[in-house]
Amino acid sequence: VQTPFLILGDSWKCCPEGWRPFQESCYYFSDDQMPWNESKKNCSGMGSQLVVINTEAEQVSAGRQMKYQQNAINLFIGLRAQEVGQWRWADQTPYNESAAFWRPREPTNTPEEKCVVIHHQSENLQNWNDVPCTIRSYRICENAVRARSPLD
């Protein structure tokens, strides 16, 4: 089921049911927990990817949506270090330090903590935390919106 949320000209911009729209993407906030690699596969299986946060507006939107997630304290995003301190987005988008939202004293850049979660903090924009990839966490998947004709 597609949920239309924006009409542009003769087409609708749609997100799958249960996904939340923001700008040109749709976001899925999971209600189950799994390690980072399984989270990545789960998003891929839905035709999406772990979220890549490129802007402050996207970070703010993710934080607002987290308020509605019951018990979701940490959510995996698509940022991971292959080597300590060498952060890479899962979709190969270049890591931009000026568009990173680390908590104070993070990242710790230790060999045990190579994956990243958004840690829910009320109204705090700086809420990324590096964690072990093997912990079980919720996740945010991202997918581009689909344009549909109103006749589809």
Side-chain angles (χ1 to χ4, degrees):
V1 173
Q2 297 289 316
T3 306
F5 71 91
L6 178 66
I7 302 172
L8 291 174
D10 291 333
S11 67
W12 297 65
K13 300 292 184 176
C14 300
C15 286
E17 187 173 356
W19 291 61
R20 298 171 191 224
F22 178 72
Q23 294 179 347
E24 293 297 314
S25 293
C26 300
Y27 299 87
Y28 174 77
F29 291 76
S30 74
D31 57 4
D32 62 335
Q33 299 178 69
M34 53 185 65
W36 193 90
N37 283 335
E38 289 179 41
S39 293
K40 182 180 176 193
K41 288 177 189 172
N42 180 268
C43 290
S44 295
M46 294 189 290
S48 64
Q49 65 185 16
L50 281 170
V51 67
V52 174
I53 297 176
N54 297 305
T55 65
E56 183 174 326
E58 193 172 21
Q59 172 73 1
V60 168
S61 177
R64 284 188 185 134
Q65 296 298 327
M66 286 177 72
K67 289 181 186 177
Y68 304 107
Q69 300 303 113
Q70 294 182 339
N71 303 321
I73 304 293
N74 294 311
L75 292 102
F76 277 126
I77 62 175
L79 190 60
R80 182 178 179 163
Q82 293 300 323
E83 300 293 329
V84 173
Q86 295 180 9
W87 299 103
R88 300 281 182 267
W89 289 105
D91 73 346
Q92 304 309 311
T93 297
Y95 172 70
N96 180 355
E97 184 67 42
S98 66
F101 301 94
W102 295 105
R103 292 174 70 184
R105 295 178 296 285
E106 296 290 345
T108 54
N109 287 322
T110 62
E112 300 81 27
E113 297 186 346
K114 292 185 178 178
C115 290
V116 179
V117 294
I118 290 180
H119 178 77
H120 184 248
Q121 295 175 310
S122 60
E123 304 303 319
N124 190 345
L125 188 64
Q126 306 298 122
N127 61 4
W128 293 2
N129 188 23
D130 57 342
V131 297
C133 298
T134 54
I135 69 164
R136 298 175 67 81
S137 183
Y138 298 97
R139 66 200 162 280
I140 307 173
C141 303
E142 177 181 15
N143 197 353
V145 295
R146 296 185 189 103
R148 298 258 178 157
S149 164
L151 303 175
D152 287 349

